[in-house]
Every structure is written in C-alpha cells, then in structure tokens.
C-alpha cells in the first residue's frame, strides 16, 4: 500500500535520518533508533526502510513509490557511544584504550604430580596436559618459565590412599616432595598447593567420613595438618579447595602457630558443585566412589550464597578469594569482586578447557581466539588472576599483543 499523501521521499528521508542522527547522538542504541524510524515511516504510510549503523555513520535507505532506493548516510560525531568502532581507534590506539589488562603475572598453571610415575604421561581427559613424575616435575616448571608463566598450583596423585587421606600430610608425600624438587632448582618459581583430601582418600570425598557423610570438624584438623606440611616443604601459598566450613580459620591458626604468619591463603570460596570438574576427576583419580559433593559444594542456582561464602572466608583470614568454575559464573565473579576488597581469583576448570580443546580439534571453532576471548572475559568480569590449563598459551598471546 502506497501512501495516500503525496510524499516527497527525499524530504521524508531527511526527516527520519535527522531523527535517527539525534537519537544516536544522545546515546540510543541502533535497534532503538531503527524502531523509531520505522514507526515514523509507518505513521506516514511509507514502506519500511533499512537502517544500519556502520562505523561512525548512520545509513537510512527508503524505497520510493517508483521503486527507486533513496539513501542517506550521516556521519556521527566523533565522540559518543560508538567510539570503539572508529577507524582511528583501531590498531595501537585501540590497544591504548583497552579497559581490561592482562599480564602473564596473573596466570597460574595447574601441575599434576603422580608419585607412581617416572617421566611424564599425557592425560587422556585433558588433551595437551600431562601427569609428571617427581623426576620430571621440573620440566613442567621450565616449560612454564619459557612461556613466561611464573606461578603454578600443584595437585598430587599419591601412591597410597586410605579412609582419612593420611598421605596428604605425609612429610615425604607427593606434593611435599614435588615442592622440594621445584624449589631446589627454581627457588623463585611461585608454588601454590591445592589443599584437599579427595585425591588422598580411598572413597574420594573431600574430607573424613562419618558414616556416609563428611564430618566437617574432623576434616578441619587434617586439612590444617596438610597445609602446614606443604608450607614446611616450601610452598609459597596454600589453597584449600575442600569447602569445609571453618577451614580457612583452622589453617590460618596452625600456620601462625608455626611461624608462617606471612604465608597467604587463597580460599576456594565460591566453589560450585559443577559438572565442569569431570575431566579433572579422571585426571586426579578423585571422583567420589559414592554420592556426590553437594553436601559441601555450592548449588549453581545460588548467587547470594557466594557472597556469604566469600564473607566467611574473608572473616576467617583468607588473603585471596576464588570463584570456580569461571565461564558459567562470570556474574558471580563480578559480584564478588565488587563486594570484596580482597584479590579475586577465578579457576577456569578442566571441563572448560576440554570443551574448547574438543571444539577446536573438531574444526568447529578457532581454538586460539576462543581461548583468548574466554580468558579475557574472566578478567573483564573482575578477576585479578586466573588458574587455567591454557596459562602458557595465554602468556604467549599476551606477549604477542593479541590480548592484554
Ligand atoms: C579438589 C579439586 C577439584 C578441582 C580442583 N580441586 C575437583 C573437585 O572438587 O571435584 C577441579 C579442578 C578442575 O576441574 O580443573 N577438590
């Protein structure tokens, strides 16, 4: 239906594009601008137009009754909402204007040490990752240093497991010996240890059982002993991942008592009961033999509970808080980092890594770019540091200037 009014399409075009221009200038988003333009055209009985925002310009195109397209392109002012689209903000200038900064200093690489192994062995569940024997763990460190990564978190696979996980705090346990081996060769390499019982208990739960339930308070004692043994072996920081209530306070007290007041604690504060840990449990042999971890890990539906967990850990003396997993919990990272002054760590867990790897290997996505974009989204959400199986590749990407 063509308009009953005699319409000058050039005038109509002037009018709608002027309106669009003003709306854009006042910060309206393009879909809002388009809505307003279409509404105005409809009011005049004119057919729908086409509206585009191209870098720095607004383009409006109408079809006149004789079928001729009439098009107008308006340059937008050089300030305003579309600043990042401008040609002059490309290249070096675009990098100058970045709001999120990444550095290899804020990356932490997970290293798995297996007491029964000599040399290194690929981890099937985590393509590109390895189990290291105590004789080979320094190789993992030298690979990190070569890539520019200076921090690791250690996980141990002990030779023996029992009901209480006693190899976790053994003086010559797998993690303790790995720390000594690393520190003997690379004293400046920063070693964090994961403190948990699930790799050391024969039932695979993160604490000591009482019947079929984990006994929170009994577990605190063994966690504190384990943390102390790591620090005595030379660990720079301990990271309890068990999610027992009161473990930060228990570990802090034992460390202080033994003169380690300055050793920081990174608390896995908001750790969700997540399916994303699947490949890790295969890699660390730490899947629970019955039941699940819902008794001590958080329900993924909950947001406020994360704030509560962080507040408890802060009050107990945590030095760094953590949200885990990362990608599906960016909202939680943002909220916790806004609410607390402590440094915020995020753990991009095994399932996140495995998904990117698998999709990349299948040719479905560009692995390198997805790796970069995923990692930087975690920092944009407010994390100050990231534990990731991609730490080495990311450090290189930062050094190349692809991100950061
Ligand atoms: C130990 C622990 C787990 C992870 C880190 N520490 C497994 C779990 O809670 O089941 C997961 C790490 C990953 O998936 O990469 N409790």
């Amino acid at each position: 239906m063509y308009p009953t009014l005699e319409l000058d399409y050039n005038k109509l075009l002037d009018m709608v594009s002027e309106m669009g221009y003003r709306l854009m200038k006042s910060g309206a988003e393009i879909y809002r601008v388009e809505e307003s333009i279409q509404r105005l055209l409809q009011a005049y009985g004119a057919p729908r137009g086409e509206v585009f925002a191209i870098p720095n310009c607004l383009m409006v195109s109408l079809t006149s009754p004789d079928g001729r397209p009439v098009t107008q392109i308006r340059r937008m002012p050089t300030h305003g909402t579309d600043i990042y689209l401008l040609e002059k903000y490309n290249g070096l200038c675009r990098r100058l204007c970045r709001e999120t900064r990444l550095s290899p200093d804020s990356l932490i690489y997970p290293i798995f040490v297996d007491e029964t192994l000599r040399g290194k062995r690929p981890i099937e569940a985590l393509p590109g990752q390895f189990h290291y024997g105590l004789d080979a763990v320094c190789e993992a460190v030298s690979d990190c240093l070569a890539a520019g990564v200076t921090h690791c978190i250690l996980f141990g696979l002990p030779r023996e497991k029992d009901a209480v996980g006693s190899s976790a705090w053994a003086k010559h346990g797998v993690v303790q010996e790995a720390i000594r081996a690393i520190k003997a060769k690379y004293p400046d390499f920063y070693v964090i240890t994961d403190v948990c019982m699930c790799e050391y208990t024969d039932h695979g739960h993160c604490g000591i059982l009482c019947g079929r339930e984990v006994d929170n308070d009994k577990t605190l004692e063994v966690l504190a002993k384990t943390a102390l043994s790591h620090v005595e072996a030379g660990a720079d920081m301990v990271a309890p991942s068990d999610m027992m209530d009161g473990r930060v306070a228990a570990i802090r007290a034992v460390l202080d008592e033994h003169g380690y007041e300055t050793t920081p604690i990174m608390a896995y504060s908001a750790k969700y009961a997540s399916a994303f840990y699947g490949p890790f449990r295969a890699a660390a042999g730490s899947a629970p033999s019955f039941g699940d971890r819902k008794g001590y890990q958080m329900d993924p539906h909950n947001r406020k509970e994360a704030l509560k967990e962080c507040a408890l850990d802060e009050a107990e003396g945590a030095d760094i808080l953590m949200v885990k997993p990362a990608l599906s919990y960016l909202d939680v990272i943002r909220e916790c980092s806004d609410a607390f002054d402590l440094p915020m760590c995020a753990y991009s867990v095994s399932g996140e890594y495995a998904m990117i790897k698998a999709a990349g290997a299948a040719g479905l996505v560009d692995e390198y770019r997805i790796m970069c974009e995923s990692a930087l989204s975690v920092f944009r959400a407010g994390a100050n540091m990231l534990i990731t199986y991609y730490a080495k590749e990311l450090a290189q990407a930062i050094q190349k200037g692809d991100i950061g």
Side-chain angles (χ1 to χ4, degrees), residues 194 196 241 271 277 280-281 293 297 324 349-350 389:
D194 183 87
C196 193
S241 68
K271 178 172 174 180
Y277 308 148
F280 173 95
R281 291 186 189 166
R293 303 209 200 292
Q297 297 183 353
K324 175 189 174 189
V349 300
S350 54
Y389 301 93

Side-chain angles (χ1 to χ4, degrees), residues 55 83-96:
I83 175 169
Y84 299 107
L85 297 175
L86 298 183
E87 202 46 47
K88 69 178 173 187
Y89 285 97
N90 279 331
L92 279 178
C93 193
R94 191 178 169 101
R95 282 173 54 185
L96 186 67

Side-chain angles (χ1 to χ4, degrees), residues 110 112 126 155 194-199 206 241-242 268 271-272 274 276-281 286-288 293 296-297 324 347-351 389:
F112 295 90
L126 289 171
F155 294 96
D194 183 87
V195 176
C196 193
M197 306 314 291
C198 63
E199 293 117 278
C206 298
S241 68
D242 50 280
Y268 285 67
K271 178 172 174 180
Y272 287 87
S274 170
F276 285 100
Y277 308 148
F280 173 95
R281 291 186 189 166
S286 68
R293 303 209 200 292
Y296 38 99
Q297 297 183 353
K324 175 189 174 189
Y347 195 146
S348 188
V349 300
S350 54
Y389 301 93

Side-chain angles (χ1 to χ4, degrees), residues 76-393:
M76 299 307 300
T78 53
H79 54 82
T81 52
D82 56 345
I83 175 169
Y84 299 107
L85 297 175
L86 298 183
E87 202 46 47
K88 69 178 173 187
Y89 285 97
N90 279 331
L92 279 178
C93 193
R94 191 178 169 101
R95 282 173 54 185
L96 186 67
C97 299
R98 277 179 180 164
E99 296 173 33
T100 306
R101 292 292 174 190
L102 280 70
S103 150
D105 289 338
S106 39
L107 300 173
I108 302 166
Y109 182 65
I111 298 177
F112 295 90
V113 194
D114 183 342
E115 201 173 7
T116 65
L117 184 68
R118 291 189 63 79
K120 66 175 188 179
R121 179 183 60 216
I123 301 177
E124 217 176 296
L126 289 171
Q129 304 298 314
F130 294 87
H131 284 125
Y132 293 89
L134 283 165
D135 59 331
V137 68
C138 284
E139 191 188 318
V141 175
S142 69
D143 289 349
C144 281
L145 290 169
V149 174
T150 47
H151 301 73
C152 79
I153 182 161
L154 281 183
F155 294 96
L157 286 80
R159 187 183 304 278
E160 260 136 55
K161 303 187 186 214
D162 60 26
V164 294
S166 53
S167 53
W169 63 86
K171 184 154 194 237
H172 297 288
V174 56
V175 166
Q176 293 79 354
E177 287 304 309
I179 299 165
R180 290 189 188 100
I182 293 171
K183 287 293 180 181
K185 194 153 178 206
Y186 301 105
D188 295 333
F189 188 70
Y190 200 88
V191 178
I192 306 169
T193 58
D194 183 87
V195 176
C196 193
M197 306 314 291
C198 63
E199 293 117 278
Y200 304 89
T201 51
D202 49 17
H203 45 73
H205 278 283
C206 298
I208 294 181
L209 292 182
C210 182
R212 289 173 71 83
E213 299 293 328
V214 172
D215 185 325
N216 189 91
D217 295 359
K218 264 197 202 148
T219 304
L220 296 184
E221 208 180 299
V222 295
L223 288 169
K225 271 202 280 194
T226 303
L228 177 63
S229 72
H230 291 173
V231 176
E232 281 174 341
D236 297 295
M237 182 190 287
V238 289
S241 68
D242 50 280
M243 287 297 277
M244 298 302 132
D245 292 333
R247 87 267 205 230
V248 174
I251 292 172
R252 185 72 276 157
V254 169
L255 293 184
D256 289 356
E257 202 181 298
H258 289 80
Y260 298 109
E261 292 94 346
T262 58
T263 303
I265 300 176
M266 174 157 76
Y268 285 67
S269 305
K271 178 172 174 180
Y272 287 87
S274 170
F276 285 100
Y277 308 148
F280 173 95
R281 291 186 189 166
S286 68
S289 58
F290 66 88
D292 54 39
R293 303 209 200 292
K294 287 182 186 151
Y296 38 99
Q297 297 183 353
M298 285 175 52
D299 183 342
H301 296 78
N302 296 352
R303 178 176 67 81
K304 284 190 267 184
E305 191 185 0
L307 294 167
K308 200 177 92 188
E309 292 283 358
C310 286
L312 287 171
D313 285 347
E314 183 185 43
E316 289 180 28
D319 301 280
I320 299 172
L321 304 174
M322 192 200 297
V323 173
K324 175 189 174 189
L327 273 192
S328 295
Y329 298 85
L330 293 177
D331 57 327
V332 180
I333 296 174
R334 162 56 58 207
E335 229 168 327
C336 292
S337 72
D338 283 351
F340 295 92
D341 291 333
L342 292 176
M344 182 62 60
C345 181
Y347 195 146
S348 188
V349 300
S350 54
E352 300 177 39
Y353 171 82
M355 288 197 315
I356 299 176
K357 268 278 164 204
L364 298 174
V365 298
D366 179 335
E367 181 189 355
Y368 181 76
R369 291 187 56 207
I370 298 261
M371 164 190 86
C372 288
E373 198 174 322
S374 306
L376 80 85
S377 74
V378 176
F379 286 96
R380 195 188 58 232
N384 308 104
M385 63 196 85
L386 176 64
I387 304 176
T388 167
Y389 301 93
Y390 274 127
K392 289 179 282 185
E393 292 82 354

